[in-house]
Amino acid sequence: MQVLPTPDRNRSAARAPKSVSIFSPILKFLLAAGVPVGPNGLITIRGRKSGMPRTTPVAIIEVSGRRWVWAPWGEVNWVRNLRAAGHATITVRRRSEEIGATELDEPQRVAFFRDYLGPLARRTPFGVQFIRIADGVDLNDPIGVAKDRRVFEVHSV
């Protein structure tokens, strides 16, 4: 019997910039301590290979009662884990919530960047500039941005 490779086995995970790997443990510590750090929270997802819970800081975008998490650096491991699990726990200011997650396809991601994240960033002082510098994302090009970024809409379970 032949086992066909899955997409996860064919591609290596994307990597966040080195500055993120340096800052991420600090951000994770602050968020775990309940310190408010913008729209950031922690997401805990069971690893798709190990089965162990993995926690990472993410931006939780909330607009008009809807929430999303997005991966500025593409196909990183937490994205693969969330895709496989379909659910996770998000923690914001020491309050945890079980969530389900639905991955957006490319046209839905374009709409997310154009209709939700872009306007939200434009209303936030230095929001567009911060996303451009910190995440390497130009919100003026939602079609280009949506191509390689992953976005999940999250909802309470």
Side-chain angles (χ1 to χ4, degrees):
M1 182 171 132
Q2 182 182 8
V3 176
L4 298 174
T6 64
D8 278 356
R9 292 185 187 143
N10 287 339
R11 293 185 296 196
S12 61
R15 293 186 107 28
K18 189 136 184 106
S19 60
V20 172
S21 61
I22 292 168
F23 184 66
S24 189
I26 297 165
L27 183 58
K28 187 176 173 180
F29 173 80
L30 292 172
L31 291 168
V35 176
V37 185
N40 296 297
L42 297 172
I43 190 163
T44 303
I45 312 160
R46 193 160 304 282
R48 66 193 180 285
K49 295 176 184 177
S50 70
M52 300 296 295
R54 306 291 183 195
T55 302
T56 192
V58 294
I60 303 167
I61 308 303
E62 187 167 349
V63 178
S64 301
R66 295 175 71 185
R67 293 179 296 171
W68 299 267
V69 293
W70 73 295
W73 302 287
E75 203 65 28
V76 292
N77 280 317
W78 75 260
V79 167
R80 292 174 167 194
N81 289 340
L82 186 55
R83 182 182 296 131
H87 60 89
T89 302
I90 56 173
T91 305
V92 178
R93 297 187 184 139
R94 292 189 170 179
R95 298 186 78 184
S96 295
E97 175 186 6
E98 296 296 317
I99 54 101
T102 304
E103 186 170 9
L104 305 185
D105 62 22
E106 192 167 337
Q108 291 170 320
R109 292 192 308 264
V110 170
F112 166 76
F113 289 111
R114 181 191 61 226
D115 302 336
Y116 296 101
L117 186 57
L120 176 65
R122 287 180 188 90
R123 286 191 306 268
T124 305
F126 305 107
V128 172
Q129 296 85 346
F130 180 82
I131 290 172
R132 182 177 294 129
I133 293 167
D135 300 328
V137 170
D138 180 3
L139 292 173
N140 293 318
D141 180 17
I143 294 170
V145 170
K147 188 169 279 317
D148 296 325
R149 276 56 179 211
R150 300 296 172 251
V151 181
F152 293 84
E153 186 162 7
V154 299
H155 52 276
S156 297
V157 202

